[in-house]
């Protein structure tokens, strides 16, 4: 009996060590900026991005030829945050753009800049904390970034003046960020929010990825990662949930999602949409994967923006 108990203890200890090691590996790869790789994210999206590269390069080249400058603010917890500001026609309409996980503002909005700048918008392309040229070790997944976004919004109002008309546009993690921002007291100058392929919370998207892509159980990895992140980054993985925050929203929403998104499943968009308390509209793009909606059907995407913006801005 003693041998049996000893053997069982060894097996349990080995299993616990393996679980702890797996969680630590998952946590480092996911939550810390230098281990979270854009190549891995693009692969996990399941989209063949090669087919869109000629258009992306053409649009990016045009964007960088437009007048722009680097701008900086300090976050509430002392991080130096970076954005790229395009003055456009210097009118009172502006869009603040929030990028996806492991990306940066200039990379995610190189193509959409064609739409916004040609429609007379100023553009502010953020590098969210722990991305691009912004400081930070731990990725915010919207929970921290929503406050940074609020501070950037005030920066834009100071730049334009009190008559500013501001649109918030986010994709993927950026989409979750703008949804989470809607639960805050936003300045009256924020007229609308565009959320493209947003997830509900870091906890729910990690659970989905573990199940669907790694074929692993979420328990207890997510629970351990949650405690680690609360200690290291100052927030839990479900402390802020986009579907809960939009219940407090007073700003009109346009929700966009790819029908065949395997990274952030379309049901997350549906859940956020159903919970949204403010005026809302939705575009589900047929056959589009994660972050692919604009490239899969630019006409439908731009028409949705035209209709939405026409209803909220003068």
């Amino acid at each position: 009996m003693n041998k049996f108990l000893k053997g069982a203890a060894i097996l349990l200890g080995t299993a616990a060590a393996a679980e702890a090691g797996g969680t630590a590996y998952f946590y480092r790869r996911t939550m810390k900026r230098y281990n979270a790789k854009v190549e891995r994210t693009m692969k996990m999206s399941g989209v063949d991005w090669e087919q869109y590269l000629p258009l992306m390069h053409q649009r990016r080249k045009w964007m960088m030829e437009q007048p722009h400058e680097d701008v900086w603010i300090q976050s509430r917890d002392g991080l130096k945050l970076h954005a790229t500001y395009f003055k456009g026609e210097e009118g009172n309409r502006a869009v603040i753009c929030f990028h996806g996980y492991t990306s940066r503002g200039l990379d995610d909005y190189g193509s959409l800049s064609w739409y916004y700048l040609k429609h007379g918008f100023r553009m502010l392309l953020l590098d969210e904390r722990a991305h691009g040229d912004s400081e930070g070790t731990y990725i915010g997944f919207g929970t921290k970034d929503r406050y940074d976004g609020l501070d950037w919004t005030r920066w834009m109002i100071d730049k334009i003046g009190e008559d500013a008309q501001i649109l918030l546009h986010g994709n993927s993690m950026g989409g979750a960020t703008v949804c989470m921002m809607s639960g805050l007291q936003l300045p009256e100058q924020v007229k609308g929010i565009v959320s493209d392929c947003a997830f509900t919370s870091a906890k729910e998207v990690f659970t989905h990825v573990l199940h669907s892509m790694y074929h692993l159980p979420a328990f207890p990895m997510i629970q351990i990662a949650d405690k680690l992140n609360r200690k290291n980054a100052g927030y839990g993985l479900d402390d802020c949930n986009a579907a809960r925050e939009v219940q407090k929203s007073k700003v009109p929403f346009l929700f966009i999602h790819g029908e065949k998104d395997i990274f952030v499943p379309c049901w997350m968009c549906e859940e956020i949409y159903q919970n949204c308390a403010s005026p809302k509209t939705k575009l589900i793009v047929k056959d589009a994967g994660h972050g692919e909606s604009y490239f899969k059907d630019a006409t439908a995407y731009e028409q949705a923006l035209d209709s939405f913006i026409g209803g909220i801005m003068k």
Side-chain angles (χ1 to χ4, degrees), residues 3-307:
K3 288 184 178 180
F4 173 79
L5 291 174
K6 184 176 181 181
I10 291 172
L11 285 173
L12 287 172
T14 302
E19 190 67 57
T23 302
Y25 177 69
F26 164 77
Y27 184 79
R28 288 195 302 270
R29 279 168 56 99
T30 306
M31 305 302 297
K32 299 187 72 172
R33 74 176 300 166
Y34 298 111
N35 297 320
K37 304 296 184 183
V38 65
E39 297 82 10
R40 187 164 63 241
T41 305
M42 292 177 70
K43 184 177 179 180
M44 292 171 71
S45 74
V47 175
D48 175 17
W49 291 108
E50 291 287 332
Q51 63 184 310
Y52 302 122
L53 287 180
L55 174 64
M56 294 167 76
H57 289 156
Q58 176 191 3
R59 293 279 182 90
R60 170 69 179 262
K61 181 176 182 295
W62 178 85
M63 177 183 72
M64 297 307 295
E65 291 170 350
Q66 310 311 306
H68 63 278
E69 61 178 312
D70 294 312
V71 293
W72 308 84
I73 63 170
Q74 187 174 63
S75 72
R76 301 173 188 205
D77 51 352
L79 299 177
K80 188 177 181 182
L81 303 177
H82 170 262
T84 308
Y85 171 65
F86 290 80
K87 66 180 183 179
E89 295 179 4
E90 296 189 282
N92 73 336
R93 300 203 303 178
V95 59
I96 303 176
C97 299
F98 298 74
H99 61 77
Y101 176 61
T102 70
S103 190
R104 60 191 302 159
L106 286 174
D107 292 343
D108 274 15
Y109 289 90
S111 296
L112 260 175
S113 65
W114 179 269
Y115 174 87
Y116 280 121
L117 291 174
K118 284 185 174 290
H119 281 74
F121 278 77
R122 304 175 191 235
M123 291 188 76
L124 188 65
L125 309 185
L126 309 186
D127 287 347
E128 296 193 50
R129 58 174 53 215
H131 288 79
D133 291 326
S134 290
E135 292 181 342
T137 299
Y138 295 97
I139 295 171
F141 283 99
T143 301
K144 292 283 190 177
D145 310 90
R146 59 184 169 149
Y147 297 110
D148 302 335
L150 189 57
D151 292 338
W152 279 118
T153 301
R154 290 179 177 133
W155 180 94
M156 183 63 84
I157 294 169
D158 289 342
K159 188 75 173 177
I160 298 175
E162 292 301 313
D163 66 336
Q165 299 184 87
I166 296 174
L167 183 69
L168 307 178
H169 190 136
N171 72 286
S172 192
M173 186 182 77
T177 300
V178 296
C179 288
M180 293 172 183
M181 283 179 67
S182 76
L184 302 174
Q185 187 66 40
L186 296 175
E188 64 180 7
Q189 288 83 358
V190 176
K191 304 301 182 183
I193 299 175
V194 181
S195 169
D196 185 343
C197 61
F199 54 75
T200 49
S201 72
K203 177 184 177 181
E204 290 186 343
V205 76
F206 293 162
T207 298
H208 167 74
V209 168
L210 285 171
H211 286 165
S212 65
M213 298 185 181
Y214 292 97
H215 309 292
L216 292 171
F219 180 84
M221 291 180 71
I222 293 296
Q223 287 70 22
I224 297 171
D226 180 85
K227 290 182 179 179
L228 279 172
N229 206 60
R230 196 176 297 280
K231 177 183 177 182
N232 294 331
Y235 71 94
L237 301 182
D238 198 51
D239 280 3
C240 191
N241 184 302
R244 292 197 301 265
E245 293 304 308
V246 296
Q247 293 174 3
K248 298 176 279 186
S249 176
K250 297 179 175 62
V251 178
F253 260 97
L254 168 60
F255 293 98
I256 301 171
H257 215 98
E259 177 195 32
K260 293 187 176 178
D261 193 331
I262 62 172
F263 193 20
V264 178
C266 204
W267 66 258
M268 291 194 182
C269 177
E270 295 293 342
E271 182 176 340
I272 299 169
Y273 179 83
Q274 292 299 327
N275 278 277
C276 182
S278 57
K280 57 196 175 184
T281 188
K282 179 174 58 176
L283 172 67
I284 304 298
V285 179
K286 183 177 173 58
D287 295 327
H290 186 67
E292 191 185 15
S293 292
Y294 183 69
F295 300 97
K296 180 64 73 174
D297 194 344
T299 299
Y301 201 110
E302 292 187 359
Q303 286 177 348
L305 287 176
D306 287 343
S307 178

